[in-house]
Amino acid sequence: MSEGESCGCCSSSTITPDTDRTCYCPVNGIIDTISKKHALPIVSVLGSNGPTRYNELEEVLGVTSSSLLSTRLNELMSEGLIERQSFDEIPPRVEYSLTSDGKELEERLRPLLEWADEA
Amino acid sequence: MSEGESCGCCSSSTITPDTDRTCYCPVNGIIDTISKKHALPIVSVLGSNGPTRYNELEEVLGVTSSSLLSTRLNELMSEGLIERQSFDEIPPRVEYSLTSDGKELEERLRPLLEWADEA
DNA sequence: CTGAATCCTACACGATACTG
DNA sequence: CAGTATCGTGTAGGATTCAG
């Protein structure tokens, strides 16, 4: 789903043109991001557990394919939602954590998680 | 993504087994649902506009393929998030609206939408 | 341990055409 | 108006292998 295009919800003049409805276009970007596999759990885990290592994420999330986690982490980083810190140790250690944007997202996601848990 | 399977996040005993973390499995179902194209906008529009006809949804959402909207509506109905009411008129009229579950979802989605709008 | 590269498969989506 | 049926395509995801 490309994000730059006109979405029809803000350009539509046919339906209730005088009521100012919200435009849902910006949401699609976020949804696109967090709807990818493991993305939401990553954000949630980092939010509740703090900085977490690659390997820990693999286990906690039950990641099947390692490459998928790698891809997802890179995507979330370029979205500016998480950040990566690597330590010069042997064996190597890398920790991922939420950026302030990521935290903001995690907070606004929480009502959803709680509701999903009940239901 | 199937929903019944063990997800690794609740069965994992390797990582911090004594801290009671939230299980994110239930969320995947919701996310799966609303991440499909037009699903979130449908819920939002029905939430803010009330009962809406098929044709209106097509226009407001800028639906390209009619069959896609049809599919999505059916999915949301079997999820119990929206409901369909058809009127015996000529021409035929059908209105979709949120169920109480759908309204609950829409409310918990709102913080996300607002944040997405700002960013 | 922390990844990246490759290949393959399944499925969501788009386009088109057709029906009550 | 309110859909369904069918088919082609792009891409996310899974499995596997290899590397710093």
Side-chain angles (χ1 to χ4, degrees), chain A residues 55 67 70 84 96:
Chain A
N55 202 23
S67 60
S70 178
R84 192 188 105 118
Y96 292 90

Side-chain angles (χ1 to χ4, degrees), chain A residues 44-90:
Chain A
S44 300
V45 167
L46 294 188
S48 55
N49 290 13
T52 309
R53 302 180 60 166
Y54 187 89
N55 202 23
E56 288 182 311
L57 285 172
E58 259 189 330
E59 298 180 35
V60 173
L61 304 178
V63 171
T64 51
S65 183
S66 172
S67 60
L68 183 56
L69 176 59
S70 178
T71 308
R72 199 81 331 130
L73 288 171
N74 285 329
E75 287 174 5
L76 291 174
M77 278 195 291
S78 36
E79 301 277 348
L81 295 173
I82 69 176
E83 55 191 1
R84 192 188 105 118
Q85 183 179 15
S86 67
F87 302 85
D88 257 353
E89 305 176 356
I90 307 281

Side-chain angles (χ1 to χ4, degrees), chain A residues 27-42:
Chain A
V27 192
N28 291 327
I30 317 290
I31 294 296
D32 270 8
T33 304
I34 65 172
S35 67
K36 305 277 196 66
K37 183 137 198 184
H38 298 130
L40 176 55
I42 288 172

